[in-house]
Amino acid sequence: MSQGKQEWGSRLGVILAVAGSAVGLGNFLRFPGNVAANGGGAFMVPYLLAFLLLGIPIAWAEWTMARYGGAKGFHSAPGVLGVVGRGKVARYFGIIGVLIPLGVYFYYVLIESWCLGYCWEYLKGGIGVPTGADVNAQVAASSAHFAEFTGAATDGALFDFSGATAGVHETSLIFWIITFAVNFFFLYRGLSKGIEAFCKWAMPAMGVAAIIVLVRVLTMDANPQHPDQTITTGLGYMWNPDWEALKNPKTWLAAAGQIFFSLSVGFGVIINYASYLKRKDDVVLSSVTSNATNELFEVGFGGLITIPAAFLFMGLSISAFQDSSFGLGFKTLPVVFANMPGGNFMGAIWFFMLFLAAITSSLSMLQPTLAFLEEALGLNRKVGTFVLLVVGALGNLFVLWHSEGLRALDIIDFWIGTFLIFILATVQIICFGWVWGIEKGIAEAHRGAQLRIPAIFRFIMKYVSPAYLLVIFVLFIGFNVLDRTDDDGNVITGYWSKIWAEDNQVERLALGLISLVAIGLIIATAIGEKRWRAQGLDVDGLKPLDPNVK
Amino acid sequence: MESMLHLAAAEIKEPTTAGWILMIGSVSFVVILVGWCFKRVLTADPPIETDVPAGKGP
């Protein structure tokens, strides 16, 4: 197979690539908002439990299945899951492992380009937040700039090059094109020379940038207009525990969701990346190391930077923004940078760090799809990259055009980037623990391992993780998919109703786009299956592995 | 309502003892974990024995 030529250059490289995939905007923006909104320090209890019972076990399963599938000659989620899940059903569920990274790429690269664009604007002198004005006016100015930069005012706004905001729209589109091109440049260079080489440079650079921002934030003086708003009271706001929050199912759902989406498990990335490992390469320690790296950026940096810095200038009114990553990252932090000595420099570093976090993730979204195109359709890397470039550009343009209220982005993020991840993770842990068999799965994980999986995880991976996932999934549907009434009697519209609401044509179009892509992937999988059988590959995982496979 | 509950509890105040413990404990945990992991990876201990002989896997 054409994909057989791809391999990692070093063990550290694959760990950093997987960690780079996991570390994204959510580490710096979503995590601190989640902590502050869900019990402060008390949030760490369900968070740690979810890390141990969901994140670590599912990651081990994914790494192990991927390496095994790779040894059988498969590098795409449909191929790998077909082998481990022993048949058609698992193989076709595996399509989700291609649909998720591709679908998320449709909007994620746009957010990535905003980060690079903001970095550029800070290098040029900031985004025009009026520092002398009331803090609410500053946030309003920052929010208005964000709306212009993203075209959130109306559909097609970014393509309007007349009027006072034309320059902002041009900047936004130019940085999208640059970001898009950089992604495909590294993708085309291949696994080792492109993605791995980039991540080996980008991850340490991101760490250095995070340390610089952290030191600056922790040494900031109190707000002169509100002397009680200091970095330590900001830390108190974020970390002082509210134990009552643990009685609320929403806290547990938020913690599990944070771990789940942050670690890139059930995303279709690890199952591709780890499939390029050699048979004797360790997966147990490598998996824990990449997860730990993600946690360092999330808890160690995300937990200390974002909310305390924003609190210094905004005080308790920060609570209005903490539920939204965009609100925290693009609306409130620019106010912080505007008021901080040397703020433009720090703003540039901050948004460059976010850009690095995002691009190491977006690269990991392209590679699984490219591997699938090569594997299923027999395309070479050049043609596969071109096909992916066209599909990626069309997806990006769809989201760019339907920019009003970022609704297209939101609906794809929900159904692809959230809902389907639950499904894929469930399929994976069931394949590992039940179809493959937990004893065989653990034995396979231990092949070449530098760390032994504690015996208790046999029970956890077989029973606890699937059950935990199921409970969280039911809660997730109750809170997000279906309409519900909050404690004040307000009806909160769920995502299911949003699809069918009369005015929500964009939501229906977005789902139509996703469906089209899914149909294309189903057809490609059917074609691939025929090719794989013709090549004599063990498509259904029924034969023992050739002992000579390295 | 949930965020209102948290707001009610959230006043401007220094970290409590529990707040400090949770913050320092959480950050220390991830720093130690990542340091331990990378030390193991970079010193590259020889692989442990496998449970299954080659060719007899699942």
Side-chain angles (χ1 to χ4, degrees), chain A residues 12 36 41 44 68 228 232-233 239-240 248 285 289 293 436 443 446-451 487, chain B residues 1-2 6 12-16 22-23 26 36-38 40-41 44-45 48 50-52 58:
Chain A
L12 190 62
M44 296 310 289
Y68 185 81
D228 57 342
T232 48
T233 53
W239 286 97
N240 284 344
N248 190 336
L285 180 60
T289 306
T293 308
W436 218 19
H446 279 160
R447 196 181 293 276
Q450 289 184 279
L451 186 69
D487 294 347
Chain B
M1 182 64 184
E2 292 90 357
H6 183 61
I12 296 183
K13 58 183 178 186
E14 300 285 324
T16 59
L22 283 162
M23 179 178 70
S26 300
W36 180 81
C37 285
F38 272 103
R40 290 281 312 252
V41 167
D45 294 345
I48 59 173
T50 59
D51 286 342
V52 181

mmCIF file of all heavy atoms in Angstrom, chain A residues 12 36 41 44 68 228 232-233 239-240 248 285 289 293 436 443 446-451 487, chain B residues 1-2 6 12-16 22-23 26 36-38 40-41 44-45 48 50-52 58:
data_model
loop_
_atom_site.group_PDB
_atom_site.id
_atom_site.type_symbol
_atom_site.label_atom_id
_atom_site.label_comp_id
_atom_site.label_asym_id
_atom_site.label_seq_id
_atom_site.Cartn_x
_atom_site.Cartn_y
_atom_site.Cartn_z
ATOM 1 N N LEU A 12 9.836 10.053 20.381
ATOM 2 C CA LEU A 12 9.477 11.366 20.919
ATOM 3 C C LEU A 12 8.597 12.114 19.925
ATOM 4 O O LEU A 12 7.669 12.828 20.299
ATOM 5 C CB LEU A 12 10.755 12.172 21.209
ATOM 6 C CG LEU A 12 10.573 13.470 21.985
ATOM 7 C CD1 LEU A 12 9.990 13.204 23.365
ATOM 8 C CD2 LEU A 12 11.894 14.212 22.101
ATOM 9 N N ALA A 36 -14.195 27.568 36.257
ATOM 10 C CA ALA A 36 -14.813 28.707 36.942
ATOM 11 C C ALA A 36 -16.334 28.575 37.010
ATOM 12 O O ALA A 36 -16.947 28.964 38.000
ATOM 13 C CB ALA A 36 -14.423 30.002 36.239
ATOM 14 N N GLY A 41 -12.342 24.921 42.147
ATOM 15 C CA GLY A 41 -11.431 23.806 42.407
ATOM 16 C C GLY A 41 -12.154 22.482 42.581
ATOM 17 O O GLY A 41 -11.574 21.414 42.317
ATOM 18 N N MET A 44 -12.159 19.780 39.895
ATOM 19 C CA MET A 44 -11.044 18.872 39.647
ATOM 20 C C MET A 44 -11.346 17.448 40.103
ATOM 21 O O MET A 44 -10.685 16.506 39.667
ATOM 22 C CB MET A 44 -9.770 19.380 40.337
ATOM 23 C CG MET A 44 -9.262 20.714 39.809
ATOM 24 S SD MET A 44 -9.120 20.788 38.010
ATOM 25 C CE MET A 44 -7.719 19.715 37.732
ATOM 26 N N TYR A 68 -1.965 -2.358 16.139
ATOM 27 C CA TYR A 68 -2.289 -3.686 15.619
ATOM 28 C C TYR A 68 -2.829 -3.581 14.182
ATOM 29 O O TYR A 68 -2.424 -4.332 13.296
ATOM 30 C CB TYR A 68 -3.326 -4.338 16.534
ATOM 31 C CG TYR A 68 -3.654 -5.758 16.154
ATOM 32 C CD1 TYR A 68 -2.830 -6.806 16.540
ATOM 33 C CD2 TYR A 68 -4.796 -6.056 15.397
ATOM 34 C CE1 TYR A 68 -3.126 -8.110 16.187
ATOM 35 C CE2 TYR A 68 -5.091 -7.351 15.044
ATOM 36 C CZ TYR A 68 -4.261 -8.379 15.445
ATOM 37 O OH TYR A 68 -4.554 -9.663 15.086
ATOM 38 N N ASP A 228 -9.082 45.617 44.808
ATOM 39 C CA ASP A 228 -9.336 44.242 45.276
ATOM 40 C C ASP A 228 -9.263 43.230 44.136
ATOM 41 O O ASP A 228 -9.290 42.024 44.382
ATOM 42 C CB ASP A 228 -10.691 44.154 45.986
ATOM 43 C CG ASP A 228 -11.843 44.611 45.106
ATOM 44 O OD1 ASP A 228 -11.573 45.308 44.100
ATOM 45 O OD2 ASP A 228 -12.999 44.269 45.411
ATOM 46 N N THR A 232 -4.146 37.286 42.674
ATOM 47 C CA THR A 232 -4.485 36.257 43.673
ATOM 48 C C THR A 232 -6.002 36.156 43.877
ATOM 49 O O THR A 232 -6.524 35.051 44.050
ATOM 50 C CB THR A 232 -3.789 36.519 45.031
ATOM 51 O OG1 THR A 232 -3.990 37.874 45.390
ATOM 52 C CG2 THR A 232 -2.320 36.197 44.972
ATOM 53 N N THR A 233 -6.716 37.292 43.826
ATOM 54 C CA THR A 233 -8.181 37.150 43.932
ATOM 55 C C THR A 233 -8.737 36.498 42.660
ATOM 56 O O THR A 233 -9.752 35.801 42.713
ATOM 57 C CB THR A 233 -8.888 38.504 44.184
ATOM 58 O OG1 THR A 233 -8.469 39.444 43.182
ATOM 59 C CG2 THR A 233 -8.571 39.040 45.557
ATOM 60 N N TRP A 239 -10.207 29.031 41.637
ATOM 61 C CA TRP A 239 -9.871 27.767 42.299
ATOM 62 C C TRP A 239 -10.592 27.530 43.621
ATOM 63 O O TRP A 239 -10.612 26.386 44.099
ATOM 64 C CB TRP A 239 -8.358 27.696 42.524
ATOM 65 C CG TRP A 239 -7.608 27.430 41.257
ATOM 66 C CD1 TRP A 239 -7.002 28.346 40.453
ATOM 67 C CD2 TRP A 239 -7.414 26.154 40.618
ATOM 68 N NE1 TRP A 239 -6.431 27.726 39.362
ATOM 69 C CE2 TRP A 239 -6.661 26.383 39.436
ATOM 70 C CE3 TRP A 239 -7.783 24.847 40.913
ATOM 71 C CZ2 TRP A 239 -6.292 25.362 38.565
ATOM 72 C CZ3 TRP A 239 -7.405 23.819 40.053
ATOM 73 C CH2 TRP A 239 -6.670 24.080 38.894
ATOM 74 N N ASN A 240 -11.150 28.554 44.264
ATOM 75 C CA ASN A 240 -11.867 28.284 45.519
ATOM 76 C C ASN A 240 -13.023 27.326 45.250
ATOM 77 O O ASN A 240 -13.859 27.578 44.383
ATOM 78 C CB ASN A 240 -12.405 29.594 46.120
ATOM 79 C CG ASN A 240 -11.306 30.397 46.787
ATOM 80 O OD1 ASN A 240 -10.222 29.872 47.061
ATOM 81 N ND2 ASN A 240 -11.551 31.677 47.023
ATOM 82 N N ASN A 248 -24.533 18.764 41.158
ATOM 83 C CA ASN A 248 -25.185 19.095 39.885
ATOM 84 C C ASN A 248 -24.627 18.208 38.769
ATOM 85 O O ASN A 248 -23.416 18.214 38.513
ATOM 86 C CB ASN A 248 -24.912 20.569 39.567
ATOM 87 C CG ASN A 248 -25.747 21.067 38.408
ATOM 88 O OD1 ASN A 248 -26.179 20.278 37.567
ATOM 89 N ND2 ASN A 248 -25.963 22.368 38.356
ATOM 90 N N LEU A 285 3.216 3.628 27.736
ATOM 91 C CA LEU A 285 3.869 4.822 28.271
ATOM 92 C C LEU A 285 3.719 6.006 27.315
ATOM 93 O O LEU A 285 3.517 7.146 27.755
ATOM 94 C CB LEU A 285 5.357 4.532 28.529
ATOM 95 C CG LEU A 285 6.181 5.696 29.093
ATOM 96 C CD1 LEU A 285 5.641 6.171 30.434
ATOM 97 C CD2 LEU A 285 7.653 5.306 29.231
ATOM 98 N N THR A 289 2.190 9.547 28.304
ATOM 99 C CA THR A 289 3.040 10.740 28.178
ATOM 100 C C THR A 289 2.347 11.823 27.349
ATOM 101 O O THR A 289 2.387 13.009 27.703
ATOM 102 C CB THR A 289 4.387 10.363 27.524
ATOM 103 O OG1 THR A 289 4.975 9.302 28.268
ATOM 104 C CG2 THR A 289 5.339 11.549 27.502
ATOM 105 N N THR A 293 1.221 15.437 28.800
ATOM 106 C CA THR A 293 1.634 16.697 28.176
ATOM 107 C C THR A 293 0.422 17.589 27.953
ATOM 108 O O THR A 293 0.448 18.802 28.203
ATOM 109 C CB THR A 293 2.342 16.421 26.832
ATOM 110 O OG1 THR A 293 3.378 15.475 27.056
ATOM 111 C CG2 THR A 293 2.918 17.693 26.241
ATOM 112 N N TRP A 436 -12.803 -7.691 20.699
ATOM 113 C CA TRP A 436 -11.432 -8.199 20.690
ATOM 114 C C TRP A 436 -11.201 -9.052 21.934
ATOM 115 O O TRP A 436 -10.518 -10.050 21.919
ATOM 116 C CB TRP A 436 -10.481 -6.997 20.691
ATOM 117 C CG TRP A 436 -9.265 -7.180 19.855
ATOM 118 C CD1 TRP A 436 -9.087 -8.092 18.857
ATOM 119 C CD2 TRP A 436 -8.060 -6.439 19.939
ATOM 120 N NE1 TRP A 436 -7.836 -7.939 18.306
ATOM 121 C CE2 TRP A 436 -7.188 -6.928 18.956
ATOM 122 C CE3 TRP A 436 -7.631 -5.391 20.749
ATOM 123 C CZ2 TRP A 436 -5.910 -6.418 18.752
ATOM 124 C CZ3 TRP A 436 -6.365 -4.874 20.548
ATOM 125 C CH2 TRP A 436 -5.510 -5.389 19.559
ATOM 126 N N ALA A 443 -3.034 -7.755 26.571
ATOM 127 C CA ALA A 443 -1.814 -8.462 26.166
ATOM 128 C C ALA A 443 -1.163 -7.766 24.968
ATOM 129 O O ALA A 443 0.055 -7.585 24.914
ATOM 130 C CB ALA A 443 -2.144 -9.913 25.820
ATOM 131 N N HIS A 446 0.562 -4.647 26.008
ATOM 132 C CA HIS A 446 1.816 -4.896 26.736
ATOM 133 C C HIS A 446 2.967 -5.307 25.821
ATOM 134 O O HIS A 446 4.110 -5.372 26.275
ATOM 135 C CB HIS A 446 1.599 -5.968 27.808
ATOM 136 C CG HIS A 446 0.970 -5.410 29.048
ATOM 137 N ND1 HIS A 446 0.321 -6.180 29.973
ATOM 138 C CD2 HIS A 446 0.889 -4.133 29.499
ATOM 139 C CE1 HIS A 446 -0.129 -5.414 30.956
ATOM 140 N NE2 HIS A 446 0.198 -4.169 30.682
ATOM 141 N N ARG A 447 2.660 -5.574 24.567
ATOM 142 C CA ARG A 447 3.748 -5.942 23.648
ATOM 143 C C ARG A 447 4.679 -4.732 23.468
ATOM 144 O O ARG A 447 4.281 -3.697 22.969
ATOM 145 C CB ARG A 447 3.161 -6.345 22.302
ATOM 146 C CG ARG A 447 4.110 -7.103 21.414
ATOM 147 C CD ARG A 447 3.440 -7.418 20.107
ATOM 148 N NE ARG A 447 2.341 -8.368 20.240
ATOM 149 C CZ ARG A 447 2.491 -9.696 20.270
ATOM 150 N NH1 ARG A 447 3.683 -10.217 20.183
ATOM 151 N NH2 ARG A 447 1.441 -10.480 20.369
ATOM 152 N N GLY A 448 5.920 -4.875 23.925
ATOM 153 C CA GLY A 448 6.894 -3.793 23.803
ATOM 154 C C GLY A 448 6.674 -2.646 24.788
ATOM 155 O O GLY A 448 7.336 -1.616 24.688
ATOM 156 N N ALA A 449 5.759 -2.852 25.745
ATOM 157 C CA ALA A 449 5.403 -1.736 26.631
ATOM 158 C C ALA A 449 6.498 -1.422 27.637
ATOM 159 O O ALA A 449 7.180 -2.324 28.121
ATOM 160 C CB ALA A 449 4.113 -2.053 27.365
ATOM 161 N N GLN A 450 6.649 -0.165 27.962
ATOM 162 C CA GLN A 450 7.607 0.253 28.990
ATOM 163 C C GLN A 450 6.901 0.578 30.293
ATOM 164 O O GLN A 450 7.516 1.119 31.207
ATOM 165 C CB GLN A 450 8.386 1.460 28.503
ATOM 166 C CG GLN A 450 9.353 1.106 27.395
ATOM 167 C CD GLN A 450 10.189 2.295 26.998
ATOM 168 O OE1 GLN A 450 9.749 3.138 26.253
ATOM 169 N NE2 GLN A 450 11.390 2.360 27.521
ATOM 170 N N LEU A 451 5.639 0.287 30.316
ATOM 171 C CA LEU A 451 4.835 0.534 31.518
ATOM 172 C C LEU A 451 3.730 -0.500 31.502
ATOM 173 O O LEU A 451 3.123 -0.745 30.457
ATOM 174 C CB LEU A 451 4.242 1.953 31.432
ATOM 175 C CG LEU A 451 3.494 2.494 32.623
ATOM 176 C CD1 LEU A 451 4.451 2.750 33.770
ATOM 177 C CD2 LEU A 451 2.802 3.814 32.245
ATOM 178 N N ASP A 487 -34.017 25.831 35.861
ATOM 179 C CA ASP A 487 -34.649 25.990 37.168
ATOM 180 C C ASP A 487 -35.534 27.228 37.254
ATOM 181 O O ASP A 487 -36.405 27.332 38.114
ATOM 182 C CB ASP A 487 -33.574 26.054 38.263
ATOM 183 C CG ASP A 487 -32.839 24.723 38.385
ATOM 184 O OD1 ASP A 487 -33.335 23.735 37.802
ATOM 185 O OD2 ASP A 487 -31.786 24.677 39.036
ATOM 186 N N MET B 1 -29.252 29.271 36.078
ATOM 187 C CA MET B 1 -29.370 29.108 37.536
ATOM 188 C C MET B 1 -28.061 28.585 38.123
ATOM 189 O O MET B 1 -27.588 29.042 39.146
ATOM 190 C CB MET B 1 -30.508 28.141 37.840
ATOM 191 C CG MET B 1 -30.765 27.920 39.329
ATOM 192 S SD MET B 1 -31.296 29.438 40.138
ATOM 193 C CE MET B 1 -31.405 28.902 41.823
ATOM 194 N N GLU B 2 -27.471 27.614 37.362
ATOM 195 C CA GLU B 2 -26.238 27.026 37.861
ATOM 196 C C GLU B 2 -25.152 28.080 38.036
ATOM 197 O O GLU B 2 -24.475 28.125 39.052
ATOM 198 C CB GLU B 2 -25.753 25.937 36.896
ATOM 199 C CG GLU B 2 -26.646 24.712 36.847
ATOM 200 C CD GLU B 2 -27.730 24.844 35.786
ATOM 201 O OE1 GLU B 2 -27.805 25.906 35.142
ATOM 202 O OE2 GLU B 2 -28.495 23.919 35.619
ATOM 203 N N HIS B 6 -23.111 29.715 41.353
ATOM 204 C CA HIS B 6 -21.676 29.899 41.516
ATOM 205 C C HIS B 6 -21.356 31.362 41.792
ATOM 206 O O HIS B 6 -20.497 31.674 42.608
ATOM 207 C CB HIS B 6 -20.940 29.409 40.273
ATOM 208 C CG HIS B 6 -19.454 29.497 40.419
ATOM 209 N ND1 HIS B 6 -18.777 28.804 41.392
ATOM 210 C CD2 HIS B 6 -18.534 30.221 39.753
ATOM 211 C CE1 HIS B 6 -17.491 29.085 41.310
ATOM 212 N NE2 HIS B 6 -17.316 29.946 40.322
ATOM 213 N N ILE B 12 -15.269 38.491 45.590
ATOM 214 C CA ILE B 12 -13.855 38.786 45.369
ATOM 215 C C ILE B 12 -13.111 38.471 46.651
ATOM 216 O O ILE B 12 -13.268 39.176 47.660
ATOM 217 C CB ILE B 12 -13.660 40.259 44.949
ATOM 218 C CG1 ILE B 12 -14.346 40.491 43.602
ATOM 219 C CG2 ILE B 12 -12.183 40.603 44.868
ATOM 220 C CD1 ILE B 12 -14.173 41.878 43.037
ATOM 221 N N LYS B 13 -12.359 37.395 46.627
ATOM 222 C CA LYS B 13 -11.590 37.057 47.829
ATOM 223 C C LYS B 13 -10.352 36.264 47.459
ATOM 224 O O LYS B 13 -10.278 35.649 46.395
ATOM 225 C CB LYS B 13 -12.450 36.289 48.830
ATOM 226 C CG LYS B 13 -13.056 35.013 48.324
ATOM 227 C CD LYS B 13 -13.933 34.418 49.432
ATOM 228 C CE LYS B 13 -14.610 33.145 48.962
ATOM 229 N NZ LYS B 13 -15.566 32.630 49.929
ATOM 230 N N GLU B 14 -9.410 36.287 48.355
ATOM 231 C CA GLU B 14 -8.157 35.548 48.171
ATOM 232 C C GLU B 14 -8.466 34.053 48.148
ATOM 233 O O GLU B 14 -9.514 33.622 48.644
ATOM 234 C CB GLU B 14 -7.208 35.841 49.340
ATOM 235 C CG GLU B 14 -6.827 37.303 49.492
ATOM 236 C CD GLU B 14 -5.816 37.751 48.442
ATOM 237 O OE1 GLU B 14 -4.940 36.949 48.082
ATOM 238 O OE2 GLU B 14 -5.914 38.903 47.977
ATOM 239 N N PRO B 15 -7.558 33.264 47.587
ATOM 240 C CA PRO B 15 -7.793 31.814 47.626
ATOM 241 C C PRO B 15 -7.888 31.317 49.069
ATOM 242 O O PRO B 15 -7.108 31.742 49.932
ATOM 243 C CB PRO B 15 -6.545 31.245 46.938
ATOM 244 C CG PRO B 15 -6.031 32.351 46.082
ATOM 245 C CD PRO B 15 -6.363 33.611 46.812
ATOM 246 N N THR B 16 -8.854 30.448 49.313
ATOM 247 C CA THR B 16 -8.962 29.822 50.629
ATOM 248 C C THR B 16 -7.897 28.731 50.732
ATOM 249 O O THR B 16 -7.226 28.410 49.735
ATOM 250 C CB THR B 16 -10.342 29.180 50.793
ATOM 251 O OG1 THR B 16 -10.497 28.206 49.741
ATOM 252 C CG2 THR B 16 -11.453 30.209 50.668
ATOM 253 N N LEU B 22 -6.069 22.841 46.216
ATOM 254 C CA LEU B 22 -6.538 22.285 44.940
ATOM 255 C C LEU B 22 -5.711 22.806 43.769
ATOM 256 O O LEU B 22 -5.365 22.054 42.852
ATOM 257 C CB LEU B 22 -8.019 22.624 44.737
ATOM 258 C CG LEU B 22 -8.972 21.768 45.566
ATOM 259 C CD1 LEU B 22 -10.344 22.422 45.662
ATOM 260 C CD2 LEU B 22 -9.099 20.368 44.969
ATOM 261 N N MET B 23 -5.380 24.099 43.817
ATOM 262 C CA MET B 23 -4.615 24.672 42.714
ATOM 263 C C MET B 23 -3.189 24.106 42.689
ATOM 264 O O MET B 23 -2.734 23.585 41.662
ATOM 265 C CB MET B 23 -4.560 26.198 42.847
ATOM 266 C CG MET B 23 -3.763 26.863 41.745
ATOM 267 S SD MET B 23 -3.773 28.651 41.889
ATOM 268 C CE MET B 23 -2.776 28.888 43.330
ATOM 269 N N SER B 26 -3.186 20.316 41.951
ATOM 270 C CA SER B 26 -3.483 19.977 40.549
ATOM 271 C C SER B 26 -2.292 20.280 39.644
ATOM 272 O O SER B 26 -1.891 19.455 38.814
ATOM 273 C CB SER B 26 -4.695 20.770 40.060
ATOM 274 O OG SER B 26 -5.821 20.492 40.831
ATOM 275 N N TRP B 36 7.851 12.782 35.055
ATOM 276 C CA TRP B 36 8.108 11.343 35.229
ATOM 277 C C TRP B 36 7.980 10.609 33.896
ATOM 278 O O TRP B 36 8.832 9.773 33.552
ATOM 279 C CB TRP B 36 7.118 10.778 36.251
ATOM 280 C CG TRP B 36 7.284 9.315 36.506
ATOM 281 C CD1 TRP B 36 8.191 8.710 37.333
ATOM 282 C CD2 TRP B 36 6.522 8.254 35.921
ATOM 283 N NE1 TRP B 36 8.033 7.349 37.290
ATOM 284 C CE2 TRP B 36 7.013 7.038 36.435
ATOM 285 C CE3 TRP B 36 5.453 8.209 35.008
ATOM 286 C CZ2 TRP B 36 6.491 5.795 36.072
ATOM 287 C CZ3 TRP B 36 4.934 6.969 34.645
ATOM 288 C CH2 TRP B 36 5.442 5.790 35.177
ATOM 289 N N CYS B 37 6.956 10.938 33.142
ATOM 290 C CA CYS B 37 6.733 10.264 31.852
ATOM 291 C C CYS B 37 7.892 10.521 30.893
ATOM 292 O O CYS B 37 8.428 9.588 30.284
ATOM 293 C CB CYS B 37 5.426 10.753 31.215
ATOM 294 S SG CYS B 37 3.953 10.102 31.972
ATOM 295 N N PHE B 38 8.268 11.781 30.759
ATOM 296 C CA PHE B 38 9.334 12.094 29.793
ATOM 297 C C PHE B 38 10.674 11.512 30.255
ATOM 298 O O PHE B 38 11.493 11.114 29.425
ATOM 299 C CB PHE B 38 9.429 13.612 29.563
ATOM 300 C CG PHE B 38 8.507 14.060 28.461
ATOM 301 C CD1 PHE B 38 7.314 14.697 28.738
ATOM 302 C CD2 PHE B 38 8.822 13.818 27.128
ATOM 303 C CE1 PHE B 38 6.447 15.092 27.731
ATOM 304 C CE2 PHE B 38 7.962 14.207 26.109
ATOM 305 C CZ PHE B 38 6.770 14.844 26.411
ATOM 306 N N ARG B 40 10.986 8.681 31.795
ATOM 307 C CA ARG B 40 10.909 7.256 31.398
ATOM 308 C C ARG B 40 11.106 7.100 29.897
ATOM 309 O O ARG B 40 11.771 6.172 29.428
ATOM 310 C CB ARG B 40 9.537 6.672 31.770
ATOM 311 C CG ARG B 40 9.272 6.484 33.242
ATOM 312 C CD ARG B 40 9.917 5.259 33.857
ATOM 313 N NE ARG B 40 9.746 4.009 33.115
ATOM 314 C CZ ARG B 40 8.967 2.999 33.490
ATOM 315 N NH1 ARG B 40 8.255 3.102 34.579
ATOM 316 N NH2 ARG B 40 8.911 1.881 32.798
ATOM 317 N N VAL B 41 10.491 8.007 29.134
ATOM 318 C CA VAL B 41 10.590 7.907 27.675
ATOM 319 C C VAL B 41 12.028 8.157 27.214
ATOM 320 O O VAL B 41 12.568 7.401 26.403
ATOM 321 C CB VAL B 41 9.647 8.932 26.993
ATOM 322 C CG1 VAL B 41 9.960 9.059 25.506
ATOM 323 C CG2 VAL B 41 8.198 8.534 27.191
ATOM 324 N N ALA B 44 14.481 5.514 28.185
ATOM 325 C CA ALA B 44 14.196 4.323 27.380
ATOM 326 C C ALA B 44 14.615 3.021 28.048
ATOM 327 O O ALA B 44 15.542 2.340 27.611
ATOM 328 C CB ALA B 44 14.872 4.446 26.015
ATOM 329 N N ASP B 45 13.914 2.683 29.126
ATOM 330 C CA ASP B 45 14.128 1.366 29.753
ATOM 331 C C ASP B 45 13.830 0.272 28.740
ATOM 332 O O ASP B 45 13.010 0.458 27.848
ATOM 333 C CB ASP B 45 13.156 1.189 30.936
ATOM 334 C CG ASP B 45 13.471 2.178 32.040
ATOM 335 O OD1 ASP B 45 14.575 2.761 31.985
ATOM 336 O OD2 ASP B 45 12.617 2.370 32.914
ATOM 337 N N ILE B 48 9.249 -4.276 28.847
ATOM 338 C CA ILE B 48 8.914 -5.373 29.767
ATOM 339 C C ILE B 48 8.529 -6.589 28.951
ATOM 340 O O ILE B 48 8.305 -6.507 27.749
ATOM 341 C CB ILE B 48 7.749 -4.973 30.697
ATOM 342 C CG1 ILE B 48 6.510 -4.622 29.859
ATOM 343 C CG2 ILE B 48 8.141 -3.837 31.592
ATOM 344 C CD1 ILE B 48 5.283 -4.392 30.696
ATOM 345 N N THR B 50 6.468 -9.391 27.184
ATOM 346 C CA THR B 50 5.113 -9.379 26.640
ATOM 347 C C THR B 50 4.330 -10.551 27.198
ATOM 348 O O THR B 50 4.901 -11.550 27.625
ATOM 349 C CB THR B 50 5.146 -9.490 25.114
ATOM 350 O OG1 THR B 50 5.798 -10.703 24.778
ATOM 351 C CG2 THR B 50 5.895 -8.332 24.506
ATOM 352 N N ASP B 51 3.018 -10.390 27.189
ATOM 353 C CA ASP B 51 2.158 -11.470 27.698
ATOM 354 C C ASP B 51 1.954 -12.558 26.664
ATOM 355 O O ASP B 51 1.574 -13.673 26.989
ATOM 356 C CB ASP B 51 0.792 -10.899 28.086
ATOM 357 C CG ASP B 51 0.887 -10.114 29.386
ATOM 358 O OD1 ASP B 51 1.869 -10.310 30.118
ATOM 359 O OD2 ASP B 51 -0.015 -9.319 29.628
ATOM 360 N N VAL B 52 2.148 -12.206 25.412
ATOM 361 C CA VAL B 52 1.791 -13.138 24.346
ATOM 362 C C VAL B 52 2.995 -13.358 23.440
ATOM 363 O O VAL B 52 3.630 -12.389 23.021
ATOM 364 C CB VAL B 52 0.636 -12.556 23.499
ATOM 365 C CG1 VAL B 52 0.238 -13.523 22.405
ATOM 366 C CG2 VAL B 52 -0.538 -12.250 24.388
ATOM 367 N N PRO B 58 -4.013 -11.577 19.338
ATOM 368 C CA PRO B 58 -5.410 -11.639 18.921
ATOM 369 C C PRO B 58 -5.563 -11.560 17.412
ATOM 370 O O PRO B 58 -4.750 -10.994 16.759
ATOM 371 C CB PRO B 58 -6.029 -10.412 19.602
ATOM 372 C CG PRO B 58 -4.899 -9.524 19.926
ATOM 373 C CD PRO B 58 -3.712 -10.385 20.133
#
